[in-house]
Amino acid sequence: MRLLLAEDEEELSNALVAILKHSSYTVDAVYDGEEALDYGLSGEYDGIILDIMMPGMEGTQVLKKLREEGITTPVLFLTAKSDVDDKIKGLDLGADDYLTKPFDMGELLARIRAMTRRRSDFSQPSLSCGNLTLDRNTYELSTPEHDSIRLAGREFQMMEMLMTSPGRVVSVDNFMDRIWSDGEADINVVWVYISNLRKKLTALGSSAEIKASRGVGYSIHEKKDE
């Protein structure tokens, strides 16, 4: 599970990253609001831990812009502020939870688990691009004209990452971090899986196709009429 941590206190950030990684999370750490927005807009995270008081842009501004751009990633605010008005403002902007510094690490981990579990409970049951549909419950890829194809676990994870935001490029590194996080696979495995998925899209008569952005990654798009 991949988290974005936006905390400008470097010592605290380092401690949190160590604890989260020990708890089997993949963590990207940033130290100001503008970076937090740039990373958060990728839509590639299962949860965001966001400090309110940061240089460049406050956490509340970051969250406001993320929600305006349609990013629904759950957000947990960390802040030294304990005023009720600040909590209300954050929650009204779309935050999922709020934790006041100093906090117990066990409580933080419990809140992260609850936050990401809620996201799974309320996530869309299916994703689509063109005439292609991915059923998140059955792992089936289908089009109206053909029988469905059930994907293997890692194939499903790749298609889910692509179809969550059609048109957005998913980097090879992100595929590796999310799907082959044990570090045992060679990076070329991504190309092999993409090749297999393309064959399945062709077999289904899909109007969606997986495109490569050389040196960057892959994205899924609806084919344009010639």
Side-chain angles (χ1 to χ4, degrees), residues 184-202:
E184 294 181 1
D186 185 273
I187 199 167
N188 290 325
V189 73
V190 173
W191 180 85
V192 173
Y193 271 74
I194 289 291
S195 179
N196 288 338
L197 287 171
R198 282 172 167 163
K199 291 175 183 176
K200 291 179 179 180
L201 296 189
T202 299

Side-chain angles (χ1 to χ4, degrees), residues 107-148:
E107 182 180 5
L108 173 64
L109 291 172
R111 287 175 181 264
I112 291 171
R113 289 194 297 270
M115 176 177 72
T116 53
R117 186 166 59 245
R118 285 197 299 272
R119 186 190 195 195
S120 298
D121 291 342
F122 292 100
S123 61
Q124 292 174 281
S126 64
L127 300 170
S128 62
C129 180
N131 69 344
L132 184 69
T133 299
L134 177 66
D135 190 312
R136 284 172 144 168
N137 295 317
T138 64
Y139 287 22
E140 290 181 336
L141 201 60
S142 63
T143 58
E145 298 83 9
H146 293 77
D147 292 335
S148 62

Side-chain angles (χ1 to χ4, degrees), residues 68-129:
E68 287 174 349
E69 292 296 322
I71 302 298
T72 60
T73 308
V75 170
L76 169 66
F77 269 138
L78 297 181
T79 181
K81 293 183 176 182
S82 57
D83 189 88
V84 172
D85 288 342
D86 292 315
K87 295 181 180 181
I88 292 171
K89 181 179 180 181
L91 294 170
D92 283 346
L93 285 171
D96 295 78
D97 206 349
Y98 200 109
L99 195 56
T100 304
K101 301 175 186 176
F103 50 82
D104 179 81
M105 293 298 182
E107 182 180 5
L108 173 64
L109 291 172
R111 287 175 181 264
I112 291 171
R113 289 194 297 270
M115 176 177 72
T116 53
R117 186 166 59 245
R118 285 197 299 272
R119 186 190 195 195
S120 298
D121 291 342
F122 292 100
S123 61
Q124 292 174 281
S126 64
L127 300 170
S128 62
C129 180

